Amino acid sequence: MKRFTAKEVQEKLENGEQLNIIDVREVDEVKEGKIPDAIHIPLGLVEFKMNELDKKKQYVMVCRSGARSGRAATYLEGQGFDVINMDGGMMSYEGKTN
């Protein structure tokens, strides 16, 4: 599985890179703030929502600590998606949130 640190994701966003970010945390966690433009798909719904994703795009998976997003990344990778897990999750992310 490919990985980015939270700092790498933050730097890429601050440098204007367009990242396709999927936040797999639960609704109450996302209310505390998420990376702007991140798509919210709770982990339990990834299997059912993956048909809305484009296999030609690369996705960065995010959760609170990196564990759930790692599971989502492993699953989506097995389904033919190009995914990267953000290690450390939102607990390590110091960039802009909304």
Side-chain angles (χ1 to χ4, degrees), residues 27-79:
V27 172
D28 58 329
E29 294 173 292
V30 171
K31 284 181 183 174
E32 297 172 12
K34 69 176 181 64
I35 297 172
D37 298 325
I39 301 165
H40 178 227
I41 303 175
L43 180 60
L45 298 179
V46 169
E47 176 183 355
F48 307 103
K49 294 263 191 181
M50 70 178 177
N51 63 327
E52 298 172 15
L53 305 176
D54 184 347
K55 287 189 178 181
K56 295 177 185 138
K57 293 182 179 178
Q58 184 178 69
Y59 294 96
V60 178
M61 308 305 292
V62 176
C63 70
R64 183 173 174 270
S65 68
R68 284 176 285 174
S69 57
R71 289 199 303 270
T74 298
Y75 176 77
L76 288 173
E77 198 171 58
Q79 302 300 312

